[in-house]
Amino acid sequence: MEYKPLTFKGFFEKYAKQIRDIEPLKKSYSQFENYPLLPSQAIYVMDMQEMSIPYHRRIDRLLGYLNQEFVFELFNELYHPEDYDRYMHLLRISNEWARRVKPEPFSIEVTIDCRMRKKDGTYLKILRQSTVFETCRDKSIKSVFTILSDISKIKTNNSVNLSIIESGTGRILLEDSDKGEKSVKLTRRETEIISLVKNGLNSSTIADELKISRHTVDTFRRKMLKKTGCKNTVELLSFCAQQGII
């Protein structure tokens, strides 16, 4: 499926202009200072009227970005290139729904799972749970509160999915699932190498087996990690097994 090209900043600029002159009903961020978080979680507030991130906590621990680095503009580069168009498609769907329905603060939960880039260039599979935090006088959404959870060890596939859930009842109000996982094609040589890795061979032994250099084997392994978005060999083996490659 092809998606209409969007940028994160560009998507919100139009909405920010629409609500710029509407009086906001501002709330204090102090309630989030004692909000209980697991080591694998972080939180932030995104102000869509001001196009800013006025509050965040533990982003440095989860993604590695310093306070001054975690800004609105960063979101243009925060998502895995293979997930970006799909993510923006779901963001548009969820925001158009919310602008039409105008839900009350904390009355709904919007969840999207996707890969997010850490400061060191690696990616985590993240569950993003968001809800309305502040509104304007006309009930337009001013800001959203978001919890980010690292689910890399729980969900290893690369699907990107959306669910909007009613907080009080748990009823699903809107859902858009990525039915087909992103197809990643490995070359014949890459398939040979990952099959040998599965059999317990190290790079030196694989090099001898295939009559190529150790450096070449390591290069192929790095390329496979980048191509699949996996962080290490264990994830790569799991991914290839799920895809039926090995």
Side-chain angles (χ1 to χ4, degrees):
M1 180 178 179
E2 294 186 1
Y3 305 109
K4 182 180 178 181
L6 292 169
T7 64
F8 192 90
K9 184 178 180 181
F11 175 76
F12 281 104
E13 277 180 331
K14 184 177 180 180
Y15 179 65
K17 289 178 182 178
Q18 291 174 351
I19 66 172
R20 184 164 295 161
D21 298 325
I22 304 174
E23 184 182 356
L25 302 174
K26 293 185 178 181
K27 295 181 179 179
S28 170
Y29 306 131
S30 61
Q31 60 186 292
F32 300 130
E33 286 300 316
N34 296 317
Y35 193 93
L37 293 173
L38 297 172
S40 59
Q41 292 182 316
I43 57 177
Y44 67 88
V45 173
M46 176 176 288
D47 189 318
M48 295 190 290
Q49 190 178 47
E50 301 294 333
M51 293 183 66
S52 65
I53 310 295
Y55 180 86
H56 61 82
R57 186 157 67 91
R58 290 198 180 178
I59 291 293
D60 55 337
R61 296 188 188 182
L62 183 65
L63 298 175
Y65 298 102
L66 302 178
N67 289 344
Q68 63 272 24
E69 296 172 324
F70 195 70
V71 295
F72 199 93
E73 288 73 18
L74 177 66
F75 283 75
N76 278 324
E77 307 170 356
L78 201 55
Y79 304 98
H80 195 287
E82 293 178 1
D83 295 354
Y84 190 86
D85 288 345
R86 167 81 179 155
Y87 176 82
M88 291 304 302
H89 170 69
L90 298 181
L91 190 68
R92 178 181 60 80
I93 290 175
S94 59
N95 276 267
E96 287 180 353
W97 178 91
R99 292 173 194 178
R100 184 177 69 254
V101 176
K102 294 185 176 180
E104 294 293 326
F106 296 97
S107 65
I108 52 108
E109 177 185 323
V110 180
T111 69
I112 300 181
D113 58 300
C114 61
R115 288 172 288 179
M116 297 183 75
R117 180 173 60 83
K118 297 176 64 177
K119 185 178 179 180
D120 64 9
T122 60
Y123 287 87
L124 296 177
K125 183 69 171 182
I126 292 290
L127 178 66
R128 197 208 77 176
Q129 299 167 280
S130 300
T131 190
V132 178
F133 177 52
E134 297 170 305
T135 59
C136 299
R137 287 289 179 186
D138 66 347
K139 294 189 176 181
S140 298
I141 300 171
K142 170 180 167 57
S143 68
V144 295
F145 168 67
T146 295
I147 304 173
L148 299 179
S149 302
D150 178 8
I151 58 171
S152 302
K153 295 180 180 179
I154 302 171
K155 189 171 184 181
T156 58
N157 66 50
N158 298 328
S159 62
V160 182
N161 308 285
L162 164 71
S163 293
I164 299 181
I165 303 167
E166 190 173 48
S167 297
T169 65
R171 182 166 60 96
I172 296 176
L173 304 175
L174 181 67
E175 193 170 34
D176 190 316
S177 298
D178 194 354
K179 301 298 183 182
E181 304 221 350
K182 294 177 177 61
S183 177
V184 175
K185 294 184 178 180
L186 299 186
T187 65
R188 179 181 60 82
R189 181 63 87 187
E190 288 171 338
T191 302
E192 287 178 336
I193 290 173
I194 195 61
S195 295
L196 292 172
V197 170
K198 178 187 177 184
N199 292 334
L201 278 63
N202 59 30
S203 292
S204 296
T205 308
I206 293 172
D208 292 340
E209 180 83 13
L210 300 178
K211 296 180 173 54
I212 56 179
S213 70
R214 161 72 184 269
H215 173 73
T216 300
V217 173
D218 288 338
T219 299
F220 273 114
R221 294 181 69 168
R222 285 195 299 273
K223 285 183 177 179
M224 283 189 281
L225 289 174
K226 183 176 181 180
K227 183 183 291 188
T228 60
C230 296
K231 298 195 297 293
N232 51 49
T233 300
V234 174
E235 282 193 12
L236 180 60
L237 287 169
S238 176
F239 175 85
C240 289
Q242 291 175 7
Q243 294 287 313
I245 297 171
I246 56 175

